[in-house]
Structure formats: structure tokens, C-alpha cells
Amino acid sequence: MARHAIGLDIGGTKVAGAVVAEDGTVVAELTEPTPQTSDAATMTALLLRMTEALREKSSEVTAVGVGAAGTVEWPSGRILWAPNNEYRDWNIRAELEDATGLPAVVDNDANVAGLAEALLGDTLYREMILITVGTGVGSGIVLGGQIYRGPHGFGAELGHIVVDPNGPPCGCGKRGCLEALASGTALTRTGREAAAADPDGLIASLARERGVPVTGQLVTEAAQQGDPVAVELFQTLARWLGIGIATMTTIFELDAVVIGGGVVDTGDLLLTPAREAATEFAYAPQVRPLPPVLPSSFGSDAGKIGAALLALAH
Amino acid sequence: MARHAIGLDIGGTKVAGAVVAEDGTVVAELTEPTPQTSDAATMTALLLRMTEALREKSSEVTAVGVGAAGTVEWPSGRILWAPNNEYRDWNIRAELEDATGLPAVVDNDANVAGLAEALLGDTLYREMILITVGTGVGSGIVLGGQIYRGPHGFGAELGHIVVDPNGPPCGCGKRGCLEALASGTALTRTGREAAAADPDGLIASLARERGVPVTGQLVTEAAQQGDPVAVELFQTLARWLGIGIATMTTIFELDAVVIGGGVVDTGDLLLTPAREAATEFAYAPQVRPLPPVLPSSFGSDAGKIGAALLALAH
């Protein structure tokens, strides 16, 4: 008999859900916008509605898996804190199990996305990290084919390693984190500085034409159009990402470094300078070759698929 | 019956050997200076002489363990490369096994020292890193009670994570590594700069009086005498160490961070500013408390003890 699980990925703008088979096949899908008020009660009600709707699509559902941004205590499945959501100390695993009667697992969103990339990517990776570059920088570490998260789920926060102690402030309250220098938010900051310094440049002009503030998205667009200022900002972001990758490959012996998140949609615009910086800062490459730095195979689908795979494995 | 193993720790200046019991008790000891010519043939002959001499001290020796600086391939026990020794691609494990008839294991020196600190320190640490601050910066990572080294032993090189991409050159060929900023070698470099800038200062005066070049050791002595210039150099080193510790505790969920190597003999002169910087850069301390940052329990004995414990476990 085929075994299916429901995977739910709670993001800042949407909650992605799917029924997934053991081989990673997506049997059914459902997406809902993240409510403006993302407190625990509102979010629990939404997840339960989605779970019931997805359960009707398959009689083989045996478990539920959830991936969520923030610090998720493992294995209790309590979400302690998240930088961009209102929920705090949310006992989501117990609530889901009580309401559905199904066993549930809850983990960090990048952890489960990393699991999907490791198990179902171009080849099977036993040693891999996924770095997601979006509004923030998230990460999943897979060692020996298993998610590394530390005994209580507090490890693997690669977005907050210090890459420049004199660098800009980070949303987390520190300064110089990888996320402060290599995220969409970082690109918003440097793009606004560039627009202020050059009001006739493409970045400022695009924002004015559309009547919107400068965002990382808009800088990306300007870079894709070849604007030299935007390209340089993008290369600076990519260089910081590459420096972070070099540090990761110094600590871990990896088969691959996989880059996910919205920003990787730019392809070589991000990956080429990131690879160059990772090569420049790689330790002892004569005996420890730098692993390949690759774009993700599943993009924004990795979270819901990985959450379901984790549920099926428990 | 008690089981003993021989542990050998190959350092830049000496090779430390011991017969060690399963509970970590040192039954016998033997130390030899590292030969000026540290090529593989010379070193193999020395290790075999030491092994035979130590074997005569106990009839219960069942295995040999070696810890060595550099990149050690695991589990083959081939030392591929070391920054401060001449040996290259040295198949030491096979040579020891052939010559002694005993099973042997060979691992990175800081890995085995980390194992000793985790198993036999103040409490049993299942999740711990050891950072050794000496001429260089070494590290051992213990996860789930086991040494983490990656599938082939190429991981856990914390001395070469990038903490300042615009920082000084490192002996490894890169720049801005933790080792380039937080090692005895870094203190030698900053001490020489300080002596050149202030020929009447204590650092320059001490070197002149003794007719020796400025070294990290001499800067340490000046700092212990309260020289404000030397104290500031020492605090700068300690701050970089603390920044490295913050990055480690962001990636790993740890019970403790243990600091070893010669420089930790200065105690709070190193540890207090290192803890301050680690606290300043710790990620999300409201939900992920910073683990204690402690001096090593075994100092320079940790390598030979850990090498023997690893041999007994295999």
C-alpha cells in the first residue's frame, strides 16, 4: 500500500500544502495566503482547515509534517520564536495531533527543504547544506543522510553566522550576520542607499515610475536589465554568500551546497560570483576540493515535500 | 581485564605518548622532541620507537591511536597535508599496523583532544567543540558523543572559517581566517607591528633586553605584566576568538565550548573578552542560551589521551 503524508510549509506570505507519496511525488496541492494576523490561534485554525481539505484527496494519509520559519524545538514541535511572524511558544505539534488523530512532526522550514533536496535532488546527497536566500537567509544541514538540528532543534542557523563583525545591523539584533549582507533585505538596504546617491539612476527611476519604494526585487530587476549599479550590488550580495559558503565547506565535508530561495531565480547572476568568492576563500583546496554550488531542484516546493517526507520517516 | 591503548600526539615541537586505560587514566608517559626533519620516514621511525618503548610498560596494550596536525583522511589514516610539517601523503596507519601487529587509528590532533575533553571533562558533553589556540587554531567537534569529521575526515577545520574577508593573510594561503586573527601567530604579527610603532614600549624593550624577536609568547608576558598595549592586542585576539565562538554556537547546539592550546594558560585574560564578544554576537539568546565557554580540563595532555580512547573505541 502506498503511504502518503501531508506536508505544510508556513511562509511569510503563503502556507503551501501538499499530499506527498514516499517517493516524493506530489499527489495533491493547496496554497493559502498567510493571514495578516499570524498569531497561534489563527494559524492553527488555518492549518487544520488545510489538513482536512488535503486529507480528502487521499485515503492513504498516515502523518502530517510542518515546516515553519523560526526556532522550532525538536522533537516537541513547539515553535518558540520567529523573526517575521507573531506566533510565540506555539505548541503546534500537539494541537495538530489532538485535532487530526494523525502523528505529526514540526521542524524548521529550511531543514525540511534541505531534506527534500538531499533525498530527491539530482543525485542522493548524504552530506549537503541548503542555503535559502530570500527575505532572510535560512539553512538546512544534512549529515549522513539526516537533518542536523542539534538535540533540541536550535542548531543550523547559518543565516546568522558572523561574516563581518563591523557590518550592518541584522533583523535579529546583531550585526554583520550573513543574513544582513546576503539576503533580499540586504539588497533592499543597499538599493535604497544607491537610489538616494543617484536619483537619476535606473533603480531610483524604476521605483519612481511605479510609485513604489526600492526593494531587493526591484534591484534584481534592474540588475537583470544590465544596470551597472544594480549588477554591482548584486555581485556584492553574491560575494558575501560565497564567503559564507566557504566557511560552511571549511566546517563540513559536503557533497554539495544547494542554493534555494527567491533570489536564486536569477541563476548565474547570483551563482557565478558566489562560486568565485567561495573558491577564493576555500580552505586547502589542493586536498579538500570545493563541493559544487548548485541551484535548488525544487525551489519553493521543497518545504512542503520535505515536511511530508520527514513525517513519513517518523 | 583492563584494556590499555597507546596514544601518540604529534605536535610541531614534541611528540607526546602515553599508555592510557579505558577510564582515561594515564598508566605511563613518554615525550620526544619532534625531529627537525619531519619527513614521513623519520617520523615513522620515531613513532615505532615510542610505541615499542610504551608497550613494554603494559601487557594490556591492545591498540594504538595517533593524533596529528593537518588534514588526516578518515578512516584510512593517511595524513595528506599539514601546514607546519614536511610529511605529505603519509600512510601512517598502515605502517604502524604492519610494524606493530596492533590495530591503529589516526585522526586530526584537535579531534582526538576534543574527544578526551568531551568524555572526561568536568561533565560528560555529548555536544561540544574544542578550539585550541596555539601557534595555529585547531578544532574538534563532538556531536552526539562522537567526533564529527565528515565522511573522509575533511571537516571540522574551524581555524579557517572566514571572520574578516578583508583581514590579514593566513598561513593557509587565504585571508581573514580565524587562525589569522586569533592565534599565537596573529599575536606575533600584531606584536611586531606594535614594537615597530613604539620602540620604547614594553614589548620592544623586552625583546631587546633578551635579544630575541617579538613573539606571541612575549606579547602574552607583557600583557600579564599589565602593559596596556599588550593587553589591547590580547583583547583584540580574544574578541576575534569570541566572534568565532558565536558563529560556532549559531551553527551547532552545544553543551559547552572548550578552549585549549597554549594561549588559554592566560586564563581570564583570554576568556573574559572572548566570552564578552561571544555574548555580543550570539544569535537569539532569548531562546538559545549561549553555552558556557570553559578552559580545557586536560591542556596539552588531551591529545594523547583522546588518541588512546579513540583507539580503544575502534
Side-chain angles (χ1 to χ4, degrees):
Chain A
M1 191 187 83
R3 288 173 66 236
H4 293 164
I6 291 169
L8 298 165
D9 181 9
I10 308 175
T13 57
K14 65 174 183 178
V15 180
V19 176
V20 179
E22 280 176 295
D23 65 356
T25 309
V26 172
V27 177
E29 287 183 285
L30 178 64
T31 298
E32 296 281 350
T34 304
Q36 287 291 322
T37 309
S38 64
D39 64 284
T42 307
M43 292 301 294
T44 301
L46 174 64
L47 296 191
L48 286 175
R49 273 203 313 279
M50 290 181 71
T51 302
E52 290 314 312
L54 286 164
R55 210 170 171 177
E56 285 170 18
K57 312 279 187 173
S58 161
S59 57
E60 321 296 346
V61 168
T62 60
V64 184
V66 177
T71 302
V72 184
E73 192 179 67
W74 179 268
S76 67
R78 187 184 285 270
I79 305 182
L80 300 184
W81 180 79
N84 303 308
N85 297 81
E86 291 169 32
Y87 44 77
R88 293 285 178 276
D89 202 19
W90 175 25
N91 201 355
I92 172 63
R93 181 183 168 197
E95 291 185 27
L96 275 179
E97 289 190 336
D98 287 351
T100 65
L102 292 170
V105 294
V106 183
D107 201 350
N108 175 272
D109 54 354
N111 285 358
V112 294
L115 183 68
E117 297 285 347
L119 294 176
L120 305 172
D122 292 342
T123 55
L124 181 73
Y125 299 120
R126 286 186 57 81
E127 316 286 331
M128 192 208 79
I129 61 170
L130 169 69
I131 304 179
T132 59
V133 183
T135 308
V137 172
S139 67
I141 301 176
V142 173
L143 302 179
Q146 305 281 324
I147 298 172
Y148 169 76
R149 51 172 89 76
H152 305 96
F154 300 158
E157 295 284 7
L158 304 190
H160 299 278
I161 67 168
V162 186
V163 291
D164 181 6
N166 299 311
C170 184
C172 76
K174 295 195 298 169
R175 58 171 55 247
C177 299
L178 185 59
E179 177 164 307
L181 289 151
S183 64
T185 305
L187 205 54
T188 297
R189 187 191 68 247
T190 58
R192 285 178 187 180
E193 288 164 6
D198 181 12
D200 298 325
L202 185 63
I203 297 172
S205 304
L206 278 178
R208 214 166 29 240
E209 270 170 32
R210 300 183 190 171
V212 295
V214 172
T215 59
Q217 186 70 43
L218 193 138
V219 176
T220 304
E221 226 181 295
Q224 287 172 318
Q225 290 178 31
D227 176 56
V229 174
V231 167
E232 197 185 321
L233 297 182
F234 214 86
Q235 286 179 338
T236 300
L237 178 157
R239 181 173 168 81
W240 284 113
L241 177 63
I243 289 166
I245 291 169
T247 279
M248 295 309 135
T249 61
T250 301
I251 297 173
F252 298 107
E253 183 188 340
L254 300 171
D255 302 328
V257 176
V258 175
I259 310 298
V263 180
V264 81
D265 293 345
T266 57
D268 287 343
L269 190 65
L270 179 73
L271 291 175
T272 300
R275 288 180 184 126
E276 282 169 8
T279 302
E280 180 183 339
F281 286 95
Y283 173 62
Q286 68 277 27
V287 290
R288 316 167 68 254
L290 189 73
V293 178
L294 306 168
S296 70
S297 298
F298 294 97
S300 61
D301 290 336
K304 64 189 178 193
I305 295 172
L309 292 178
L310 185 66
L312 286 169
H314 275 77
Chain B
M1 191 186 83
R3 287 172 68 235
H4 293 165
I6 291 170
L8 298 165
D9 180 10
I10 308 175
T13 58
K14 64 175 184 178
V15 180
V19 177
V20 180
E22 280 176 295
D23 65 357
T25 308
V26 173
V27 176
E29 286 183 286
L30 177 63
T31 299
E32 296 281 349
T34 305
Q36 287 291 321
T37 310
S38 63
D39 62 283
T42 307
M43 292 301 293
T44 300
L46 174 63
L47 295 191
L48 286 176
R49 274 202 313 279
M50 290 182 70
T51 302
E52 289 314 310
L54 285 164
R55 210 169 170 177
E56 285 170 19
K57 312 278 187 174
S58 161
S59 57
E60 321 297 346
V61 168
T62 59
V64 185
V66 177
T71 303
V72 184
E73 192 179 68
W74 180 268
S76 68
R78 189 184 282 272
I79 306 183
L80 300 184
W81 180 80
N84 304 309
N85 298 81
E86 290 169 31
Y87 43 78
R88 293 284 178 277
D89 202 17
W90 175 23
N91 201 355
I92 173 61
R93 180 183 170 197
E95 292 186 26
L96 275 179
E97 289 190 338
D98 288 350
T100 64
L102 293 169
V105 294
V106 183
D107 201 350
N108 176 271
D109 54 355
N111 285 359
V112 294
L115 183 67
E117 297 285 347
L119 293 175
L120 305 173
D122 293 341
T123 55
L124 181 73
Y125 299 120
R126 287 184 57 80
E127 315 286 331
M128 193 208 77
I129 61 170
L130 169 69
I131 305 179
T132 60
V133 183
T135 307
V137 173
S139 67
I141 301 175
V142 173
L143 301 179
Q146 305 282 321
I147 298 172
Y148 169 77
R149 52 172 89 76
H152 305 96
F154 300 159
E157 296 284 6
L158 304 189
H160 299 278
I161 67 167
V162 185
V163 292
D164 181 7
N166 299 311
C170 183
C172 76
K174 296 195 298 170
R175 58 171 56 245
C177 299
L178 184 59
E179 176 164 309
L181 290 151
S183 64
T185 305
L187 204 54
T188 297
R189 186 191 70 247
T190 58
R192 285 178 186 179
E193 289 165 6
D198 180 11
D200 298 326
L202 184 62
I203 297 172
S205 304
L206 278 178
R208 215 165 30 238
E209 270 169 33
R210 300 183 191 172
V212 295
V214 172
T215 60
Q217 186 69 44
L218 193 138
V219 177
T220 303
E221 226 181 292
Q224 286 171 319
Q225 290 179 30
D227 176 56
V229 175
V231 167
E232 197 185 322
L233 297 182
F234 214 87
Q235 286 180 337
T236 301
L237 179 156
R239 181 173 169 81
W240 284 112
L241 177 62
I243 289 166
I245 291 169
T247 280
M248 294 311 135
T249 61
T250 302
I251 297 173
F252 298 108
E253 182 187 339
L254 300 171
D255 301 327
V257 175
V258 175
I259 311 299
V263 180
V264 81
D265 293 344
T266 57
D268 287 344
L269 191 64
L270 179 73
L271 291 175
T272 300
R275 287 180 185 127
E276 282 169 7
T279 302
E280 180 183 340
F281 286 95
Y283 172 62
Q286 69 278 28
V287 290
R288 314 167 69 254
L290 189 72
V293 177
L294 305 168
S296 70
S297 299
F298 294 97
S300 61
D301 290 335
K304 63 190 178 193
I305 296 173
L309 292 178
L310 184 66
L312 286 169
H314 276 77

